[in-house]
Amino acid sequence: MSEQISEETMTTTPTLPLIVLDGAVVFPYTVVSLPLDDESATIVEASIKEDRRLVLLAARREDADTDAPLAEQLYRVGVVARIEQTGMLPNGMSGFVVRGLVRAEIDAQDQSAAYLRFAFTRRADQFERTTDLEHLMVEVHAAIDAVLDLRPGIPQEIRNYVRSIDDPGQLADNTGYSQDYTFAERQDLLETFDVAERLVKVRDFYRKQFALLEVQARLRQEVQDSAAKQQREFFLRQQMRAIQKELGEDDSETADFDDLREKLAAANLPEVAKKEADRELARLGRINSASPEYQMVRTYLEWLAELPWNNPTGGAINIAHAREVLDADHYGLQKVKERILEYLAVKQRRVLLADDAGRSREPILAFVGPPGVGKTSLGQSIAKALGRSFVRMSLGGVRDEAELRGFRRTYIGSAPGRLIQELRRVGTSDPVIVLDEIDKLGMDYRGDPAAALLEVLDPEQNDTFTDHYLNIPFDLSKVLFIATANTFDTVPPALRDRMEVIELSGYTEDDKVRIAEQHLVPRQIKSNGLRSEEVSVEEQALRSIIGDYTREAGVRNLERQIGTVLRKVTRRLAEYSGDPPAEEGAATEQVRVTPDFVREALGRPRFYNEARERIDQPGVATGLVWTPVGGDIVFVEASTVEGNKELRLTGQLGDVMRESAEAALTYVRSRTNVLGIDPKFFDTHALHIHVPGGAVPKDGPSAGITMATALASAATGRLVRDDVAMTGEITLRGRVLPIGGVKEKALGAHRAGIRTVIIPHRNEADLEDLPSEVRDELTFVPVETLDDVLATALLPLGAHPRATLNSIINLARPEGVIQGKEG
């Protein structure tokens, strides 16, 4: 009867009041309670009085623009419902109960009404019961039953009600209130007018829900089974232990536990570590051995037991033996050897004076120098001289702080940092640890490894170094740390301040020859299957390899080239002499390695050293430069042409070098009267300074006096002496300031055939670092002003370019000339 009344009313009423729903959808065949606000209360009252309790229900779009007209905010499909009851809801709010009757398409709004009122089009379910539709309903019932079976706590009345629904449309609409539907899915189901299509959506939805619930149920059951199994195993093991204890028997697990206890007792742990070990050991006894936490605690205790807490190995100090070891393993490096011997002497005296009872503070040494000069191998020699274990840790590319300080035990698979790992590996508490390539440490979001080293390399703090994994202090004060770096520019200042820096400069050619003869050649002879009586390497051959085939400050590439030459010797002996003699000392043909043999083995020379050139025109001066592979000479060319006041600089010069050229030009212009230059010369001439080797970037202030000399020579027409090279920074007042790399630059000048070197007066003390044979063969002229430089370097007008220092000494000679061998 109610359905007939509804249809009659809907036929005679072209419009109905509309209630807007926010986040809710009402389906036909369902009864729903809705909250009642002031606006909806007016509409409900009007519907009861004027429209036989009928009302339109439509949902508002989730992305609706609240400023747009209401018709544009609503979904176009809603439902015609009948108001069944009004009153108080269970939560105490005013509300009303509606019953959904039929779908409706919302049309235009009635603007004449005092409240929301819309026209609509009734969309009743229309279907034909076919075999396919019956099968589809069976599938929907089965899918819903399967989901209800997996949901605990669903009343049997709900199951019976769903099974009793025989109307296809009603079956699909009643499922729309499932808690698993989203708002969008409910609206989509409401807008599906075709009954069969609606049933397909319901079936597919519940099949997906069944698959999800099935996985959840399986995982839940697995967790419950695992927990029950662990509890069962724990009780069984406890019972087994109790039975074995009564029988006086023991199992392997108990034996392992006792063995771990004995290891910890013998580890000589400090008090803090012993308390932590006892606490963790007691905790281990209460944990089920099948638990993952059991293995984590056991691994931690094994680390504590195996670390060398107080196990020094260094023997009695013998200064003479230490000197022999250092001299045998390394040629030169006197400063480094002296510092090591001083350290050993201090430590020896403290032992003799019984003053070594307190905490030992080992020095933190840092060897800084170019590649291949022996920084790392020097650490091995120090360990050998001290009788300690040697550890090398490469820090190049390390970006994670945890690599040094370890990972906390909260992480699966955590472990101590590399420092603690290396100490356990060597088994001693006083090894020599070389922190190689400390200048190449990285940094990212995982932390700054350089900051972690601040505690490690501070003698005042490293006795309480705390690894994140151990979480207890470990004494690193007995460890001798040695850092190596190619440059200290990239090392943070705080870390640099904790280390004693010892610089290792490049080797001279004579040094490399001696190193090759004493170390490299014998080692390569053995590595390439030769015997010392089968091959001899001439000194000139070594010098040929050093000068023509290597360009480095160290000897690493030199050893590689020597190995290449000796492999050719091995091949020659194998081809022409057959099998090597079986007996030691048997006669064999000896191969002599000469410069010609080197040329045949290595091919054409790869490097050409700049050599002294004859300077036969003004504007060319010889300067000195520092490179990572040693010092060298460079020619600075200056030329003047008629034109405007322009200064051009070429040769890939950096900003500092360009500024030095401008300062040099300003000073030369200020001294035109003294130098005999026409005051208008620079106004009518353009200047061009060029430094050959345009593919190589150049920068630095040390070429200032060289460029000033070249400019003065070009402007006066006076030649520059070709046996003189110079280095120094210039100021606008003509002062010559000190520079760096004096040793390397002097060696480069000596190698190029230069015999007179002009240096800043304040660099005179640096000459003490030069080898005596080089210092004896060079004449050094310390200068304080550019006038002193020009007096030494420029020849008088018309003088022969080969004029020597003695031939012009009467013209001008600055005080303080440091002269080597006469002639």
Side-chain angles (χ1 to χ4, degrees):
M1 180 65 183
S2 61
E3 182 67 27
Q4 293 176 357
I5 294 173
S6 300
E7 292 182 3
E8 178 184 356
T9 304
M10 286 185 287
T11 302
T12 58
T13 305
T15 61
L16 283 176
L18 183 139
I19 296 177
V20 179
L21 304 178
D22 289 315
V25 177
V26 178
F27 289 89
Y29 312 107
T30 59
V31 178
V32 182
S33 59
L34 299 173
L36 193 65
D37 55 20
D38 295 338
E39 181 179 2
S40 56
T42 303
I43 297 175
V44 168
E45 184 179 354
S47 174
I48 294 174
K49 292 180 179 180
E50 302 175 10
D51 300 281
R52 306 260 185 112
R53 292 180 174 269
L54 295 180
V55 67
L56 285 172
L57 302 176
R60 192 193 308 270
R61 296 180 181 273
E62 292 178 308
D63 57 348
D65 183 5
T66 55
D67 296 330
L70 182 62
E72 297 178 8
Q73 300 181 33
L74 303 177
Y75 284 102
R76 304 309 301 172
V77 177
V79 66
V80 177
R82 184 176 61 238
I83 300 172
E84 298 285 347
Q85 186 180 355
T86 61
M88 300 296 292
L89 297 177
N91 59 7
M93 297 177 59
S94 299
F96 62 104
V97 178
V98 296
R99 180 187 297 274
L101 300 177
V102 66
R103 286 173 171 77
E105 286 190 84
I106 310 300
D107 295 327
Q109 181 179 359
D110 183 3
Q111 300 294 341
S112 61
Y115 48 86
L116 294 178
R117 195 176 185 89
F118 281 78
F120 66 96
T121 301
R122 182 174 176 272
R123 298 297 300 269
D125 290 338
Q126 295 181 0
F127 56 90
E128 180 180 358
R129 284 189 174 273
T130 62
T131 304
D132 292 339
L133 187 63
E134 294 292 340
H135 282 296
L136 187 57
M137 288 187 64
V138 172
E139 291 176 357
V140 172
H141 276 296
I144 295 175
D145 284 341
V147 171
L148 293 178
D149 290 338
L150 292 177
R151 287 193 182 278
I154 300 297
Q156 186 63 35
E157 292 80 7
I158 295 180
R159 300 171 185 266
N160 295 335
Y161 172 73
V162 173
R163 291 169 182 166
S164 66
I165 298 176
D166 187 55
D167 183 86
Q170 185 178 357
L171 177 62
D173 289 339
N174 271 275
T175 65
Y177 290 106
S178 171
Q179 61 183 358
D180 299 312
Y181 274 102
T182 64
F183 172 77
E185 290 173 336
R186 289 192 179 99
Q187 183 64 33
D188 178 66
L189 196 65
L190 181 65
E191 294 178 357
T192 305
F193 299 129
D194 185 85
V195 175
E197 183 181 352
R198 200 185 313 158
L199 286 173
V200 170
K201 289 184 177 182
V202 172
R203 181 198 62 188
D204 294 342
F205 175 82
Y206 274 95
R207 284 180 176 176
K208 290 180 181 178
Q209 288 300 312
F210 173 78
L212 178 62
L213 292 172
E214 193 176 37
V215 172
Q216 293 176 347
R218 185 173 70 252
L219 293 177
R220 185 166 53 250
Q221 186 63 37
E222 289 177 357
V223 171
Q224 293 174 355
D225 293 344
S226 176
K229 181 181 178 181
Q230 290 182 6
Q231 291 177 356
R232 181 172 176 273
E233 289 179 355
F234 176 76
F235 289 125
L236 290 176
R237 290 182 186 277
Q238 293 297 326
Q239 291 177 357
M240 185 182 298
R241 288 180 180 177
I243 294 173
Q244 289 175 343
K245 184 176 181 180
E246 291 293 330
L247 296 175
E249 298 177 354
D250 197 3
D251 59 350
S252 59
E253 184 177 321
T254 305
D256 290 343
F257 188 84
D258 293 340
D259 183 57
L260 182 58
R261 187 191 301 275
E262 292 175 1
K263 287 182 179 179
L264 288 170
N268 196 16
L269 299 176
E271 189 63 28
V272 175
K274 189 175 185 303
K275 289 183 179 179
E276 183 68 14
D278 292 342
R279 188 177 69 85
E280 291 293 328
L281 195 63
R283 182 163 162 255
L284 183 67
R286 299 191 298 268
I287 301 176
N288 181 12
S289 61
S291 171
E293 189 177 5
Y294 179 89
Q295 190 59 40
M296 293 175 60
V297 176
R298 181 179 179 84
T299 302
Y300 176 74
L301 291 173
E302 288 175 350
W303 272 102
L304 294 183
E306 294 175 4
L307 283 176
W309 294 94
N310 188 16
N311 185 27
T313 58
I317 298 174
N318 188 328
I319 301 297
H321 170 70
R323 182 184 293 276
E324 291 176 1
V325 171
L326 294 175
D327 289 339
D329 291 347
H330 290 82
Y331 178 85
L333 304 178
Q334 295 304 321
K335 284 190 175 182
V336 181
K337 295 177 181 178
E338 289 177 5
R339 180 63 185 90
I340 298 302
L341 294 175
E342 290 169 1
Y343 156 71
L344 294 178
V346 171
K347 193 170 183 64
Q348 184 186 52
R349 290 289 296 176
R350 290 189 63 187
V351 173
L352 292 176
L353 297 176
D355 190 29
D356 205 35
R359 180 166 63 88
S360 174
R361 288 179 174 86
E362 304 288 351
I364 311 297
L365 304 179
F367 298 154
V368 181
V373 296
K375 299 184 295 294
T376 304
S377 60
L378 189 60
Q380 293 177 317
S381 298
I382 293 173
K384 183 179 177 182
L386 295 175
R388 299 189 187 183
S389 301
F390 174 76
V391 176
R392 175 184 172 273
M393 287 178 53
S394 178
L395 300 182
V398 173
R399 295 178 174 273
D400 190 354
E401 178 194 4
E403 289 194 40
L404 299 179
R405 299 193 69 120
F407 297 86
R408 300 189 185 277
R409 281 191 289 158
T410 53
Y411 301 105
I412 298 298
S414 58
R418 291 176 60 184
L419 283 168
I420 298 297
Q421 292 183 26
E422 293 293 345
L423 287 172
R424 185 183 76 162
R425 183 179 62 82
V426 298
T428 65
S429 59
D430 62 344
V432 176
I433 297 183
V434 172
L435 303 174
D436 216 3
E437 310 293 351
I438 198 172
D439 58 323
K440 298 175 179 61
L441 280 172
M443 180 179 64
D444 61 11
Y445 64 93
R446 292 170 292 187
D448 184 3
L453 287 176
L454 293 178
E455 180 183 4
V456 175
L457 299 182
D458 192 340
E460 301 295 333
Q461 302 180 29
N462 61 8
D463 62 320
T464 57
F465 171 73
T466 303
D467 185 272
H468 288 162
Y469 180 82
L470 299 180
N471 202 29
I472 52 178
F474 189 91
D475 188 3
L476 296 179
S477 62
K478 299 182 180 65
V479 179
L480 176 57
F481 288 101
I482 298 175
T484 70
N486 296 130
T487 176
F488 243 36
D489 295 340
T490 58
V491 179
L495 186 59
R496 193 184 317 160
D497 184 61
R498 283 165 166 76
M499 294 181 282
E500 181 179 342
V501 179
I502 300 177
E503 294 188 0
L504 283 72
S505 58
Y507 295 112
T508 66
E509 182 175 317
D510 289 338
D511 289 343
K512 292 182 180 180
V513 171
R514 301 288 87 80
I515 293 172
E517 290 175 342
Q518 298 176 17
H519 301 282
L520 305 184
V521 172
R523 186 160 61 212
Q524 286 300 317
I525 287 177
K526 184 177 180 180
S527 299
N528 288 282
L530 296 170
R531 293 182 297 190
S532 58
E533 62 269 16
E534 292 177 327
V535 59
S536 65
V537 182
E538 295 182 355
E539 180 178 325
Q540 290 302 318
L542 292 175
R543 293 186 183 276
S544 175
I545 297 175
I546 293 169
D548 298 337
Y549 297 94
T550 62
R551 178 64 64 86
E552 58 180 344
V555 293
R556 187 171 294 153
N557 198 38
L558 172 60
E559 182 175 9
R560 190 177 298 116
Q561 297 298 339
I562 291 174
T564 302
V565 172
L566 293 180
R567 284 197 299 272
K568 305 291 184 182
V569 175
T570 304
R571 178 182 173 185
R572 174 174 293 188
L573 291 176
E575 289 179 347
Y576 297 102
S577 302
D579 296 331
E583 299 181 2
E584 185 70 24
T588 182
E589 177 186 0
Q590 187 182 64
V591 178
R592 296 184 62 83
V593 177
T594 63
D596 292 337
F597 188 95
V598 170
R599 175 63 187 267
E600 179 183 349
L602 299 181
R604 62 177 180 80
R606 301 177 186 175
F607 300 100
Y608 298 90
N609 291 319
E610 288 286 355
R612 166 183 170 184
E613 290 184 0
R614 176 177 179 179
I615 298 177
D616 54 4
Q617 68 180 51
V620 180
T622 307
L624 297 174
V625 295
W626 179 93
T627 69
V629 296
D632 205 348
I633 66 172
V634 64
F635 298 101
V636 177
E637 301 172 352
S639 179
T640 62
V641 294
E642 293 185 0
N644 57 356
K645 298 185 296 182
E646 178 187 8
L647 174 62
R648 294 192 62 188
L649 302 172
T650 57
Q652 202 171 161
L653 309 183
D655 293 339
V656 177
M657 202 166 180
R658 288 175 173 271
E659 292 173 357
S660 297
E662 294 174 359
L665 175 59
T666 301
Y667 180 77
V668 172
R669 294 186 65 175
S670 69
R671 306 290 287 177
T672 53
N673 294 332
V674 176
L675 296 174
I677 304 173
D678 184 357
K680 297 182 179 180
F681 177 83
F682 293 102
D683 294 332
T684 59
H685 288 76
L687 301 176
H688 186 169
I689 296 178
H690 176 70
V691 182
V696 180
K698 311 169 188 69
D699 205 358
S702 63
I705 66 172
T706 309
M707 290 189 287
T709 302
L711 285 172
S713 173
T716 60
R718 297 165 60 183
L719 296 176
V720 180
R721 290 175 52 203
D722 57 13
D723 66 333
V724 172
M726 61 198 74
T727 179
E729 182 180 354
I730 187 176
T731 69
L732 288 177
R733 297 179 298 155
R735 307 294 296 178
V736 179
L737 302 182
I739 42 81
V742 172
K743 177 183 177 181
E744 289 79 5
K745 293 176 180 179
L747 294 176
H750 178 267
R751 184 170 55 249
I754 299 295
R755 289 298 173 260
T756 302
V757 179
I758 300 175
I759 61 172
H761 185 271
R762 288 162 61 182
N763 283 117
E764 191 173 345
D766 296 330
L767 300 179
E768 298 177 2
D769 297 334
L770 287 174
S772 58
E773 62 273 15
V774 175
R775 196 164 58 244
D776 291 340
E777 295 181 12
L778 293 179
T779 299
F780 294 92
V781 183
V783 297
E784 294 185 353
T785 66
L786 188 60
D787 291 341
D788 299 336
V789 176
L790 299 180
T792 302
L794 292 182
L795 295 171
L797 281 173
H800 193 273
R802 292 294 182 179
T804 63
L805 179 63
N806 292 330
S807 65
I808 60 170
I809 199 68
N810 296 325
L811 176 66
R813 178 178 180 179
E815 297 180 359
V817 174
I818 302 174
Q819 205 163 4
K821 294 181 179 179
E822 292 297 332

